[in-house]
Amino acid sequence: MNKPRRSVPFLKIRSWRYLVILLILGIAVHFFLPQLTSFENYLTLFRKMTWWAVLLSVISQAMSYLGSGYILHSILASNQQKLSVFRGVLIALASASIGLVAGGWVGAAAATYGWIHRENQNDSLATLAGTLPAMLNNMILTVVAALGVVYLLLIHDLTQVQLMGFGIVLFVICLIILGCISALRYPEKLIRIALIVSRYWAKLSRKSYRPQGLVAGIRQFVLAWHSLGNGNWKKPLFGAAVNIGFDILTLFFMFIAVGYPVNLGVLFAGYGLPFILGKLAFMFPGGVGVMEGGMVAMYKNLQVPTHIGVVVILGYRLLSFWIPSLLGFISIFYLDRSASKRGLLNGS
């Protein structure tokens, strides 16, 4: 007799969490309504968009998500496990949507862990698949943001306050990345630090202190990380470069679509810095509001007319965030059903 399958905890999304999306939409609308003082200009610009460029934006965003799927595919392939790029794309989409309503990037990482663990029942590999894509993407984003800062410095378009603020943000991110790399080289020190932090967090949150699971999780992650040696890290890094590179191309083609081509310096500066700020805005899933407002403000500072910036950023976010979020919720049900069918077949 087959035992009834339990639903995976991270798929239990309470209905009240959808209120978060409505709240975020309200914040975004509240921010953009003052920008829409001349709605006719936006409508005219929308009608005059070059649709072949819009199509290229759509294709670029599809390629970006193929990059996300390839990261997961290559992580499993480096450990002699199979996962198609297409299924990796579905997992990336579904995990991002879960993160939107349940825990941000932590929820997304937990969701990826859950689905990868369903594929192969390997704890360490699932842990690596849940955390490594975000680390690699953030490394690429940091490089793009740094190039943007250099460009702004060259054209003398940064005040001392802005330079200090962006410099601090990039410095903190670089420290985090270096800290992660150092911790992987010295896992025992990482475990000691993690135990101290978790002990204090347990006291503050008044929760039970359970170090065994934390230690086991760190050891599993380090073990899986070492499997990326001998050049196996190159393919996941390539996937991250494809993911970020084609996402930037999505934005670039949106500028082309409205008849306002920008150079790479302006493109990188307006893309990388707001994205970094959006990553740090933990209270807004997906950087909603922070991303849009930051990009419009940054491009306005770079002499891009406001009405062009608003149309481009809204179009870009529609393709890169809102439509993928919708597809992600559809992917959740597809992945859950396919996993249930696979379980029934294995049980029989």
Side-chain angles (χ1 to χ4, degrees):
M1 180 184 295
N2 294 329
K3 294 182 179 180
R5 293 179 59 84
R6 292 183 179 180
S7 59
V8 180
F10 63 77
L11 292 179
K12 293 180 179 179
I13 304 173
R14 298 176 183 175
S15 59
W16 66 264
R17 286 174 175 163
Y18 288 98
L19 293 175
V20 175
I21 298 178
L22 296 177
L23 176 62
I24 292 168
L25 282 171
I27 293 172
V29 170
H30 176 76
F31 175 83
F32 279 106
L33 277 179
Q35 303 282 353
L36 302 179
T37 54
S38 182
F39 181 74
E40 187 176 349
N41 289 338
Y42 296 94
L43 190 59
T44 301
L45 189 60
F46 177 78
R47 287 173 176 171
K48 291 182 177 180
M49 291 181 77
T50 305
W51 293 106
W52 62 262
V54 175
L55 179 60
L56 287 177
S57 288
V58 174
I59 294 172
S60 296
Q61 193 55 220
M63 292 297 297
S64 176
Y65 269 93
L66 282 175
S68 297
Y70 183 76
I71 297 175
L72 297 176
H73 163 79
S74 59
I75 290 173
L76 268 69
S78 66
N79 289 267
Q80 289 74 51
Q81 300 287 337
K82 290 184 179 181
L83 180 74
S84 68
V85 174
F86 176 71
R87 194 167 183 85
V89 171
L90 293 179
I91 291 174
L93 284 167
S95 299
S97 294
I98 286 179
L100 179 64
V101 297
W105 64 269
V106 176
T112 302
Y113 169 90
W115 273 304
I116 296 299
H117 192 267
R118 277 184 172 188
E119 297 287 332
N120 53 46
Q121 303 299 313
N122 187 315
D123 289 337
S124 59
L125 193 56
T127 302
L128 186 65
T131 53
L132 184 62
M135 290 175 59
L136 294 176
N137 285 337
N138 287 335
M139 287 175 60
I140 302 294
L141 278 173
T142 301
V143 172
V144 173
L147 292 173
V149 170
V150 171
Y151 173 78
L152 293 176
L153 283 173
L154 291 176
I155 65 173
H156 306 289
D157 205 32
L158 277 180
T159 65
Q160 288 186 346
V161 175
Q162 289 173 326
L163 177 61
M164 185 177 297
F166 289 135
I168 291 173
V169 170
L170 289 175
F171 179 71
V172 169
I173 292 173
C174 288
L175 279 182
I176 292 173
I177 293 173
L178 290 175
C180 291
I181 294 174
S182 300
L184 291 169
R185 289 180 61 87
Y186 306 101
E188 296 305 319
K189 291 183 179 180
L190 170 62
I191 290 174
R192 287 198 293 270
I193 294 172
L195 289 176
I196 293 172
V197 172
S198 64
R199 188 183 302 117
Y200 279 107
W201 176 251
K203 288 181 179 179
L204 289 174
S205 59
R206 297 181 180 179
K207 294 182 179 180
S208 59
Y209 175 59
R210 298 175 180 176
Q212 295 84 3
L214 177 63
V215 173
I218 292 175
R219 293 192 189 282
Q220 289 169 1
F221 178 78
V222 172
L223 181 65
W225 174 268
H226 288 160
S227 69
L228 294 177
N230 299 321
N232 288 332
W233 55 270
K234 294 179 182 179
K235 290 183 178 180
L237 183 61
F238 172 75
V242 169
N243 175 243
I244 300 300
F246 276 100
D247 194 54
I248 295 174
L249 272 180
T250 303
L251 181 61
F252 174 75
F253 284 125
M254 285 303 300
F255 273 110
I256 297 296
V258 299
Y260 195 91
V262 293
N263 62 47
L264 286 181
V266 173
L267 184 69
F268 281 14
Y271 175 92
L273 294 171
F275 242 109
I276 292 296
L277 294 176
K279 293 284 184 180
L280 297 178
F282 300 110
M283 67 183 71
F284 299 106
V288 178
V290 177
M291 277 288 304
E292 289 85 350
M295 291 182 107
V296 170
M298 180 62 70
Y299 281 120
K300 182 179 179 181
N301 192 49
L302 293 169
Q303 312 306 316
V304 176
T306 302
H307 67 286
I308 288 177
V310 169
V311 171
V312 167
I313 301 310
L314 287 179
Y316 160 73
R317 288 291 277 175
L318 177 67
L319 294 178
S320 65
F321 181 75
W322 293 111
I323 292 178
S325 296
L326 177 61
L327 294 176
F329 288 116
I330 297 172
S331 299
I332 291 172
F333 295 106
Y334 174 81
L335 290 169
D336 204 26
R337 285 188 63 185
S338 64
S340 298
K341 289 180 179 179
R342 188 180 304 176
L344 291 172
L345 289 174
N346 292 337
S348 62

